[in-house]
Amino acid sequence: MDSQTPAYPVTYRNRLRRRHDRGHYDHATVHAILDAAMLCHVAYVIDGQPYCTPTGFWREGGTLLWHGSSASRMLRAQADGVPVCVTVTHMDAIVLARCGFNHSINYRSVMAYGRARLVTDPAAKLRAMDGFINRFFPGRSAVLRAPSAQEIKATSVVEMPIDQASAKIRDLPPHDDEDDYAVPAWTALIPLRTVVGEAEPDPRQHPDADRAAGGIAAYRAGRTTDEVFAETARLYEADPGDTEPGDTDRD
Amino acid sequence: MDSQTPAYPVTYRNRLRRRHDRGHYDHATVHAILDAAMLCHVAYVIDGQPYCTPTGFWREGGTLLWHGSSASRMLRAQADGVPVCVTVTHMDAIVLARCGFNHSINYRSVMAYGRARLVTDPAAKLRAMDGFINRFFPGRSAVLRAPSAQEIKATSVVEMPIDQASAKIRDLPPHDDEDDYAVPAWTALIPLRTVVGEAEPDPRQHPDADRAAGGIAAYRAGRTTDEVFAETARLYEADPGDTEPGDTDRD
């Protein structure tokens, strides 16, 4: 990796000990894997017991954010700067081979390390709540009923500046030991993909509801979630859709 | 839940504090969510630092198993009965609503708790290595080159009897506060599914390789991985495909 490429620092915690060829630490690779996802798994510890909780998340620069009920055990545990590990994984293919040992999975994953903390500043919290909507559905917050005081109170937002991260990628065809090509086991790569289905409109749709204003243009049936989430991340980065009092550029 | 239904014990660790209506502890629900997956995320702790590692896994009764390189930091850390949390998540749909607060995800997830330990008995380890193949590709181990002594040594297998587990399921259409139905935001449920693509045969396929004998009949293009993994789990449960010396039923 070029020393000029922005990258996460590599230490004991995130350095790949095996399969160095599959490891990446540069921002571009790490962020692309994160941005192709809506779901992450967060590992954290309460009284020595590890927990692994799935949750929706998003990225703002070098910070990951997620949210949940203020009553949630996970968010209470993460309020005070505890170490967490956030992992995102995409399974791309099953790789069949001629011996068990060479069976594999093609995947892209990121493990990101840092300390989680509550977003307590009211303006920052409100911006984050809108951000979670707009990051996946560009501009959608503008057509929604604004969050109520009760909803804001009931929601906790957590942010984790990424201290370290590593990406691990396997993107290879089947490969066997040379001698094993004499074994007549049928081998192949079986691709997997997660796709968007046809949207099922709410039966109570408002007669004036405008699908085009809903921020969901990217969600065309048959597209992969990879493509959709990466596209909406780019749109959000270009225009976070923040509103300030008196902001006339909202739409 | 009927007290006669086999279920995992509920304690502080796995009891759902919120959204009790989404919680399930019975074996049938928990196992169905686990069996619809090939990938899990495992949380564990090294020196107070939580790690969340994605890995392929499978289930044998009430025990989860996974494997990896004997040199892997994860497997070394998990050799000695440390507490782990294994989580499986399926994202089924994105749920749009008329305010940010009511946006949601339909999902099925399981968090399973227990202590991981190395499978050290040579026969059990070999059976597990074959089991990982046959659980996903019924009968496939019979057509593969058998594991070498070096491969067996280089592979660690970990098992975790499930002490406790909880399943959490959301499977609901969009729902808004009654007053919000006056808000003209376009709302819908956007289904997501992970599907199997057309297999890409190895360019170096053996001329005598028989696809039908490869244990991959379930992997027809267009099927969801949910269906495929659940089907192969049932086939494996009915016939684990174990071989013993002198076993003439192998095929």
Side-chain angles (χ1 to χ4, degrees):
Chain A
M1 188 170 62
D2 189 311
S3 64
Q4 299 307 303
T5 308
Y8 288 104
V10 180
T11 69
Y12 172 81
R13 190 163 62 172
N14 66 325
R15 184 169 55 82
L16 267 71
R17 248 147 297 263
R18 300 176 310 106
R19 300 289 191 174
H20 302 283
D21 52 314
R22 297 183 187 170
H24 306 265
Y25 306 94
D26 60 290
H27 290 185
T29 303
V30 168
H31 294 176
I33 291 170
L34 294 170
D35 290 354
M38 179 181 272
L39 185 87
C40 69
H41 286 79
V42 184
Y44 54 102
V45 187
I46 303 177
D47 296 334
Q49 168 70 48
Y51 291 85
C52 179
T53 300
T55 191
F57 84 104
W58 74 109
R59 181 181 69 84
E60 307 264 1
T63 296
L64 304 182
L65 296 103
W66 55 96
H67 83 341
S69 162
S70 299
S72 129
R73 173 164 59 178
M74 171 173 82
L75 295 183
R76 282 170 180 272
Q78 293 170 355
D80 296 325
V82 297
V84 297
C85 173
V86 176
T87 299
V88 164
T89 311
H90 306 281
M91 240 178 96
D92 294 326
I94 296 168
V95 185
L96 302 170
R98 294 166 180 83
C99 66
F101 195 76
N102 285 328
H103 281 68
S104 192
I105 296 172
N106 280 347
Y107 60 88
R108 290 159 290 144
S109 74
V110 161
M111 294 173 70
Y113 305 90
R115 288 180 179 272
R117 62 186 182 216
L118 276 186
V119 175
T120 51
D121 174 70
K125 183 175 172 182
L126 202 53
R127 204 161 48 236
M129 289 169 70
D130 273 0
F132 193 16
I133 294 291
N134 292 329
R135 177 264 176 269
F136 287 102
F137 316 108
R140 184 170 177 86
S141 75
V143 302
L144 301 178
R145 190 257 297 148
S148 69
Q150 176 51 34
E151 287 170 350
I152 295 169
K153 192 177 162 195
T155 303
S156 286
V157 177
V158 162
E159 62 178 2
M160 186 201 82
I162 302 174
D163 290 335
Q164 282 152 10
S166 61
K168 201 170 169 189
I169 299 174
R170 188 191 194 278
D171 181 19
L172 295 170
H175 180 76
D176 274 296
D177 305 349
E178 205 48 46
D179 285 352
D180 288 343
Y181 284 92
V183 176
W186 197 84
T187 63
L189 189 145
I190 302 177
L192 306 175
R193 61 186 198 285
T194 303
V195 295
V196 170
E198 203 66 63
E200 300 168 12
D202 189 339
R204 292 184 65 183
Q205 200 74 274
H206 192 290
D208 298 336
D210 178 7
R211 181 170 176 160
I216 51 171
Y219 293 76
R220 295 188 295 281
R223 293 189 86 191
T224 64
T225 53
D226 266 31
E227 292 175 290
V228 170
F229 297 153
E231 178 179 314
T232 55
R234 283 194 302 273
L235 291 169
Y236 176 64
E237 198 154 26
D239 177 12
D242 289 13
T243 32
E244 300 294 338
D247 181 349
T248 54
D249 292 325
R250 181 149 191 169
D251 43 16
Chain B
M1 189 168 62
D2 190 311
S3 64
Q4 299 307 302
T5 308
Y8 288 103
V10 180
T11 69
Y12 172 81
R13 189 162 64 171
N14 66 325
R15 183 170 56 81
L16 268 70
R17 248 146 297 260
R18 300 176 311 105
R19 300 290 191 174
H20 302 281
D21 52 316
R22 297 184 187 168
H24 305 267
Y25 306 94
D26 59 291
H27 290 185
T29 303
V30 168
H31 294 176
I33 291 171
L34 294 170
D35 290 354
M38 179 181 271
L39 185 88
C40 69
H41 285 78
V42 184
Y44 54 102
V45 188
I46 303 177
D47 296 334
Q49 168 70 49
Y51 291 85
C52 180
T53 299
T55 191
F57 83 105
W58 75 109
R59 181 180 70 83
E60 306 265 1
T63 295
L64 304 183
L65 295 104
W66 55 95
H67 83 341
S69 163
S70 299
S72 128
R73 174 165 58 178
M74 171 172 84
L75 294 183
R76 282 169 179 273
Q78 294 171 354
D80 296 325
V82 296
V84 298
C85 174
V86 176
T87 300
V88 164
T89 311
H90 306 281
M91 240 179 95
D92 294 325
I94 297 168
V95 185
L96 302 169
R98 292 164 181 86
C99 65
F101 196 76
N102 285 329
H103 281 68
S104 192
I105 296 171
N106 279 347
Y107 59 88
R108 290 160 291 143
S109 73
V110 161
M111 294 173 70
Y113 305 90
R115 289 179 179 272
R117 62 185 181 217
L118 277 185
V119 175
T120 51
D121 174 69
K125 183 175 172 183
L126 202 55
R127 203 160 51 236
M129 289 170 70
D130 273 0
F132 193 17
I133 294 291
N134 291 329
R135 176 264 175 268
F136 287 103
F137 316 107
R140 184 171 177 85
S141 75
V143 301
L144 301 179
R145 190 258 295 148
S148 69
Q150 176 51 35
E151 288 170 349
I152 296 168
K153 192 178 163 195
T155 302
S156 285
V157 176
V158 162
E159 62 177 3
M160 185 200 83
I162 302 174
D163 289 336
Q164 281 152 9
S166 61
K168 201 170 168 188
I169 300 174
R170 187 191 194 278
D171 180 19
L172 295 170
H175 180 76
D176 274 296
D177 305 351
E178 205 47 45
D179 286 352
D180 287 342
Y181 284 92
V183 176
W186 199 84
T187 62
L189 188 145
I190 303 176
L192 306 176
R193 62 185 197 286
T194 303
V195 295
V196 169
E198 203 65 63
E200 300 168 12
D202 190 338
R204 293 184 64 181
Q205 200 73 273
H206 193 290
D208 297 335
D210 177 8
R211 181 170 177 160
I216 51 170
Y219 294 76
R220 295 189 294 281
R223 292 188 87 191
T224 63
T225 52
D226 266 30
E227 291 175 291
V228 170
F229 298 152
E231 179 179 315
T232 54
R234 282 194 302 273
L235 291 169
Y236 176 65
E237 200 153 24
D239 177 11
D242 290 13
T243 32
E244 300 293 338
D247 181 347
T248 52
D249 291 325
R250 182 150 188 169
D251 258 349

